[in-house]
Amino acid sequence: MFKENRIIYFDPFYYKNGNTAKPKYVVVLKNQADFTILAALPTRTDSVPKKEEIANGCIELPLINLNCFVFSNDIIITDCGKTFDFKTHIYGHQIESY
């Protein structure tokens, strides 16, 4: 189930920090011997400064300690043709190991 490079939908997803569980997509980034690294919080919330925005790809802003991968809603992101309905972000500080 947790194969690398997969997008999985949980309903509900239980957060490590105890936040209220809710439906959520997760992206499996890496599997190690005893844990899996997940980007569990793809979000439509855009926290990237306007002057730094991009349509799709990686943003690294060390001066404000922000790194983010942006998925354009115009780009197919999986082999089976999946796209997000809106511009979606994964922020580095929200990546967790489980």
Side-chain angles (χ1 to χ4, degrees), residues 13 15-17 19 22 24-27 38-45 88-91 93-96 98:
F13 178 79
Y15 295 89
K16 283 178 76 171
N17 63 6
N19 284 353
K22 64 181 180 178
K24 203 64 165 164
Y25 285 98
V26 301
V27 179
L38 299 177
L41 302 169
T43 179
R44 68 180 80 186
T45 302
T88 301
H89 304 76
I90 294 178
Y91 295 98
H93 68 276
Q94 295 177 327
I95 294 173
E96 296 275 358
Y98 288 82

Side-chain angles (χ1 to χ4, degrees), residues 47-49 52 59-68 91-93:
S47 299
V48 178
E52 304 291 344
I59 300 170
E60 181 73 30
L61 302 173
L63 292 176
I64 62 170
N65 196 26
L66 182 115
N67 56 47
C68 175
Y91 295 98
H93 68 276

Side-chain angles (χ1 to χ4, degrees), residues 2-54:
F2 292 104
K3 290 179 112 179
E4 292 177 9
N5 304 320
R6 291 268 173 111
I7 298 173
I8 304 168
Y9 183 71
F10 287 94
D11 187 7
F13 178 79
Y14 295 94
Y15 295 89
K16 283 178 76 171
N17 63 6
N19 284 353
T20 303
K22 64 181 180 178
K24 203 64 165 164
Y25 285 98
V26 301
V27 179
V28 181
L29 299 176
K30 187 75 177 162
N31 286 309
Q32 298 291 328
D34 53 353
F35 64 91
T36 299
I37 300 172
L38 299 177
L41 302 169
T43 179
R44 68 180 80 186
T45 302
D46 186 348
S47 299
V48 178
K50 290 286 183 205
K51 67 180 183 172
E52 304 291 344
E53 281 190 12
I54 62 171

